[in-house]
């Protein structure tokens, strides 16, 4: 999809656009009758959207629930967020990445001469990547705005930058696997770096909560065999940890424990290895004279960043993918 680009100096026009594109919002100037320039570029994919916003004035806003999780990195200026259900009033400046809004609560604040990148994603992704099964009753929610540490903030900012890169890729490289993997990465990174409901009962954000007793009994070699068969049959599809666990008839935690105990890896690492092997087979069979490229093969198998794909490929096969394609 081509990016949606909006630019206006009219406050009413800007309010109408934001309300029609995101959620019902009321905006006003906080500094009198000066210029009210707004520029926005929005790139939308099935799992997430990347929104580059420039507000050239001090703008107050009061918005209804987005229905999406919104995480943002401030490039310049200041974002003020009023106190609400996920934290006290706070200000964020250049270089800071934070949780701007959760799906089901209204939010308000102000933007003062801001340039920021905001990524919105479906909250349903959070339980999908959280490795929780049907017996886990507690909802998976983000509960705080600020990352857990400076390192966590840098990790979250890098993930947002990675998604911005993916959203700007040429259409032919934005494959289903690339976009699906990117959306899952974003949700997993949000859980690893921001306060959330998994932490209070021993679930370390981003860590392994360890198997419950039933999970341990389910984590046998039969589970591993069923999961591997499903992965190898469906590696060309956008599948998640929850999909693999369902196919193996166990909880996500039992699935992780089975791979750790019997294969020395994780389900998603095994899936990446299967896709890397498939990309290798495609490169060996490809004819560069027909227009085949390394980036297209990589994207077909879910590798959005050609440089990272090349590094992983070299570690596995001892050669560069471009050399194999030319051979």
């Amino acid at each position: 999809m081509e990016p949606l680009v909006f630019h206006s100096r009219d406050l009413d026009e800007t309010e109408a656009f934001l309300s029609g594109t995101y959620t019902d919002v009321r905006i006003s100037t906080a500094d009198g009758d000066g210029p009210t320039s707004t520029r926005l570029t929005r790139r939308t994919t099935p799992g997430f959207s990347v929104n580059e916003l420039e507000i050239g004035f001090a703008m107050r806003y009061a918005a209804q629930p987005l229905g999406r999780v919104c995480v943002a990195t401030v490039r310049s200026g200041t974002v003020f967020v009023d106190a609400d259900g996920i934290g006290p009033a706070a200000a964020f400046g250049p270089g800071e990445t934070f949780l701007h809004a959760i799906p089901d609560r209204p939010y308000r604040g102000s933007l003062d001469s801001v340039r920021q990148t905001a990524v919105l994603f479906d909250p349903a992704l959070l339980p999908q990547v959280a490795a929780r099964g049907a017996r886990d009753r507690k909802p998976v929610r983000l509960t705080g705005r600020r990352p857990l540490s400076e390192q966590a903030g840098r990790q979250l900012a890098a993930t947002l930058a990675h998604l911005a890169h993916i959203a700007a890729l040429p259409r032919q490289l934005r494959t289903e696997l690339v976009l699906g993997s990117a959306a899952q990465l974003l949700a997993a990174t949000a859980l690893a770096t921001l306060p959330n409901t998994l932490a209070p009962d021993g679930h370390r954000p981003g860590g392994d909560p360890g198997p419950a007793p039933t999970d341990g009994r389910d984590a046998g070699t039969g589970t591993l065999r069923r999961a591997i068969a499903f992965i190898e049959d469906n590696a060309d599809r956008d599948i998640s940890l929850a999909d693999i666990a369902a196919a193996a008839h166990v909880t996500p935690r039992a699935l992780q424990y089975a791979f750790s105990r019997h294969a020395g890896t994780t389900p998603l690492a095994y899936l990446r290895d299967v896709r890397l092997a498939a990309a290798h087979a495609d490169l060996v069979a490809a004819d560069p004279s027909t227009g085949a490229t390394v980036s297209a093969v990589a994207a077909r198998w879910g590798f959005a960043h050609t440089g990272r794909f090349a590094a992983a490929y070299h570690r596995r096969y001892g050669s560069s993918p471009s050399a194999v394609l030319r051979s």
Side-chain angles (χ1 to χ4, degrees):
M1 178 182 294
E2 293 302 314
L4 172 65
V5 179
F6 172 81
H7 181 219
S8 177
R9 297 180 180 275
D10 183 274
L11 201 64
D12 291 337
E13 184 179 39
T14 298
E15 182 179 271
F17 172 80
L18 295 176
S19 294
T21 304
Y22 298 100
T23 187
D24 185 51
V25 61
R26 296 293 175 261
I27 64 174
S28 60
T29 60
D31 56 2
D33 298 324
T36 58
S37 175
T38 301
R39 181 182 296 275
L40 180 131
T41 301
R42 174 180 171 89
R43 291 182 169 89
T44 304
T45 79
F48 61 91
S49 69
V50 177
N51 307 262
E52 303 287 352
L53 179 65
E54 297 181 29
I55 300 291
F57 62 104
M59 183 184 82
R60 290 286 305 172
Y61 65 87
Q64 294 303 306
L66 269 174
R68 293 287 186 273
V69 178
C70 176
V71 185
T73 297
V74 182
R75 304 299 181 194
S76 63
T78 307
V79 177
F80 298 94
V81 184
D82 291 353
D84 62 8
I86 57 170
F92 300 92
E96 291 190 273
T97 300
F98 66 103
L99 176 64
H100 199 155
I102 59 175
D104 55 356
R105 289 183 181 270
Y107 61 108
R108 62 178 63 229
S110 64
L111 308 171
D112 191 353
S113 301
V114 162
R115 293 174 56 247
Q116 76 170 13
T117 300
V119 180
L120 280 61
F121 67 93
D122 187 341
L125 287 168
L126 294 173
Q128 288 179 19
V129 303
R132 295 173 73 83
R135 290 187 294 273
D136 293 307
R137 300 294 185 182
K138 180 178 288 188
V140 181
R141 297 171 57 88
L142 302 174
T143 58
R145 295 195 185 282
R146 293 189 182 275
L148 298 165
S149 65
E150 290 186 6
Q151 181 179 0
R154 290 192 294 270
Q155 181 183 353
L156 186 58
T159 301
L160 264 61
H162 178 60
L163 265 72
H165 163 77
I166 289 173
L169 286 172
R171 183 187 302 273
Q172 65 271 22
L173 300 184
R174 284 183 276 124
T175 64
E176 178 187 4
L177 289 188
V178 164
L179 296 177
S181 297
Q184 290 185 51
L185 172 65
L186 175 59
T189 303
L191 286 175
T193 59
L194 291 166
N196 62 79
T197 55
L198 299 188
D201 62 355
H203 292 76
R204 184 169 50 85
D208 181 1
T214 300
D215 294 324
R217 292 197 298 270
D218 289 342
T221 55
T223 291
L224 184 69
R225 287 194 300 272
R226 290 192 297 274
I228 286 176
F230 178 78
I231 288 172
E232 293 181 348
D233 288 345
N234 295 276
D236 60 337
R237 296 175 51 233
D238 178 20
I239 57 175
S240 67
L241 181 68
D243 295 326
I244 302 168
H249 312 299
V250 297
T251 69
R253 284 186 295 185
L255 179 72
Q256 290 184 315
Y257 196 42
F259 270 84
S260 176
R261 176 190 286 174
H262 302 294
T265 187
T266 68
L268 296 184
Y270 186 86
L271 174 61
R272 285 192 295 272
D273 286 344
V274 169
R275 287 173 173 166
L276 187 63
H280 171 66
D282 281 359
L283 288 169
V284 170
D287 181 355
S289 67
T290 64
T293 65
V294 170
S295 58
V297 171
R300 178 186 174 192
W301 291 104
F303 300 95
H305 195 289
T306 305
R308 293 172 189 164
F309 168 72
Y313 188 93
H314 189 274
R315 287 193 298 270
R316 175 76 174 270
Y317 295 104
S319 182
S320 70
S322 57
V324 172
L325 179 62
R326 293 193 302 267
S327 64

